[in-house]
Amino acid sequence: ETLDKGLEKTKTSFFSKLSKAVAGKTKVDDDVLDNLEEVLVSSDVGVETTLKIINRIEARVAKDKYLGTDELNQILREEIAGLLSETNVGNETDFTIPIEKKPYVIMVVGVNGVGKTTTIGKLASQFKKAGKSVVLGAADTFRAAAIDQLQVWADRVDVPIVRQEMGSDPASVAFDTLKSAVAQNADVVIIDTAGRLHNKVNLMNELTKIKRVMQKVVEDAPHDVLLVLDGSTGQNAFEQAKQFTLATEVTSLAVTKLDGTAKGGVVIGISDQFKIPVKYIGVGEGVNDLQVFNKIEFVDSFFK
Ligand code: GDP
């Protein structure tokens, strides 16, 4: 229900565009496919992924000879779900972590303003609700505000935070955080990092160093490198995904601010193009406005 609400704008816009795309047509022909292509591109699905979807539908039209426009919803839904299945775990419904990893270490990356801190706070809250103990690490030492904002969330959610002064070595903060988590026998560690994309070599070096230093405490850390992307920024989100995947091995995605955009299709395009599962979606500013991404629910929310 909340998912529907969070994606309301996407859904309404997608639906009205889709109905316009097939208006006055009874069968799927080249016109309808052209219109559909526009609908998908304008929903930020991305050109590459859009073409993939169009090609698949074309193939079905060729195979079945006749495809009615009233069936198009169903076909489109199947094709999108199929596409997400290829790239996405997306079957989880809970905020779970592998119990054999203790502490389970999540390193969070992404540029400023995308909702990184908020996502960390929401995640901490969800893990806590699930009965896990959480420690936060303020390894974005580049901006004082980043440390303070994370502190605000730590206080709000009531979880411990490890921090140092602004300008201190991020890897040292990460090291201290893991040491502290191990000493407390904590279940989950979430490490915030600075995302300065304009200096790619620095970004790469910094993330590599944080990982290396963390591994002195927890051998196989980080267990998850979570890239946070702002879903309302369309092509910027694609570009950031590209840059971060070049800088480090990103293992999952959180797409935020889907409540404020009609372009939720970005989730489909990004997971397809980068072959990285979208694990979480942000659908509001509140502590509970984070959802585990579930591909079936997501696709359903588009077409329901
Ligand atoms: P950071 O700089 O990446 O750490 O970004 P913040 O976590 O400080 O978030 C930037 C702004 O985006 C804040 O005003 C947040 O409340 C807002 N925000 C974060 N996630 C969401 C979301 O899912 N939906 C909406 N509507 N706003 C969000």
Side-chain angles (χ1 to χ4, degrees):
E1 203 181 314
T2 38
L3 180 66
D4 280 359
K5 200 164 162 255
L7 294 169
E8 209 150 21
K9 285 190 181 152
T10 293
K11 183 178 154 184
T12 314
S13 137
F14 191 75
F15 252 136
S16 66
K17 285 189 211 161
L18 199 59
S19 355
K20 275 186 206 136
V22 298
K25 296 275 190 179
T26 51
K27 71 180 271 229
V28 177
D29 57 15
D30 287 348
D31 278 350
V32 170
L33 287 172
D34 280 351
N35 295 344
L36 181 60
E37 190 175 320
E38 260 180 58
V39 172
L40 292 171
V41 170
S42 71
S43 301
D44 266 352
V45 172
V47 176
E48 230 172 272
T49 305
T50 294
L51 290 179
K52 214 186 262 185
I53 295 171
I54 296 291
N55 286 340
R56 289 179 186 214
I57 296 179
E58 247 167 7
R60 285 182 77 153
V61 174
K63 187 171 138 277
D64 299 348
K65 301 290 185 282
Y66 181 91
L67 200 61
T69 49
D70 48 356
E71 289 162 79
L72 191 60
N73 268 6
Q74 184 54 29
I75 307 272
L76 198 53
R77 179 188 188 140
E78 282 168 28
E79 295 302 340
I80 292 173
L83 207 80
L84 287 172
S85 298
E86 287 169 19
T87 55
N88 239 293
V89 279
N91 288 322
E92 286 151 69
T93 49
D94 298 316
F95 288 88
T96 48
I97 44 164
I99 43 165
E100 68 277 10
K101 308 281 183 194
K102 192 180 166 94
Y104 184 71
V105 180
I106 305 170
M107 179 168 100
V108 183
V109 301
V111 303
N112 297 332
V114 293
K116 202 153 42 95
T117 317
T118 308
T119 302
I120 293 171
K122 291 169 173 175
L123 262 182
S125 166
Q126 292 294 347
F127 287 135
K128 218 186 144 188
K129 268 197 222 162
K132 307 287 177 193
S133 52
V134 184
V135 179
L136 303 183
D140 179 356
T141 59
F142 190 66
R143 297 175 309 140
I147 303 174
D148 293 340
Q149 276 160 26
L150 197 66
Q151 179 77 57
V152 168
W153 274 101
D155 294 342
R156 185 179 299 167
V157 179
D158 192 24
V159 295
I161 176 173
V162 174
R163 53 181 286 181
Q164 292 178 11
E165 249 119 82
M166 183 193 144
S168 57
D169 182 359
S172 154
V173 178
F175 181 85
D176 283 359
T177 311
L178 263 59
K179 276 277 187 200
S180 164
V182 169
Q184 295 173 55
N185 200 26
D187 297 309
V188 191
V189 176
I190 312 176
I191 304 283
D192 187 19
T193 65
R196 280 162 291 149
L197 261 192
H198 58 270
N199 196 330
K200 283 167 209 158
V201 177
N202 272 2
L203 176 71
M204 194 185 301
N205 289 343
E206 186 168 302
L207 295 177
T208 306
K209 184 177 172 194
I210 293 175
K211 280 187 181 181
R212 195 179 64 235
V213 171
M214 285 200 293
Q215 285 161 3
K216 291 182 181 173
V217 188
V218 177
E219 215 172 53
D220 57 348
H223 304 108
D224 190 11
V225 178
L226 178 69
L227 170 63
V228 182
L229 298 169
D230 179 340
S232 66
T233 61
Q235 287 312 303
N236 277 337
F238 278 86
E239 184 55 30
Q240 287 165 20
K242 195 168 138 199
Q243 298 303 337
F244 273 95
T245 49
L246 288 173
T248 192
E249 194 194 334
V250 176
T251 51
S252 61
L253 303 171
V255 182
T256 65
K257 309 191 194 180
L258 289 175
D259 52 306
T261 179
K263 299 190 163 195
V266 72
V267 170
I268 300 165
I270 285 187
S271 58
D272 173 49
Q273 229 161 300
F274 294 93
K275 309 289 181 239
I276 303 169
V278 175
K279 223 178 203 173
Y280 309 108
I281 57 174
V283 291
E285 294 188 272
V287 65
N288 293 320
D289 298 326
L290 184 76
Q291 319 236 331
V292 172
F293 178 70
N294 177 293
K295 62 169 177 276
I296 309 287
E297 273 179 35
F298 177 78
V299 177
D300 279 353
S301 75
F302 262 59
F303 292 101
K304 227 168 356 200

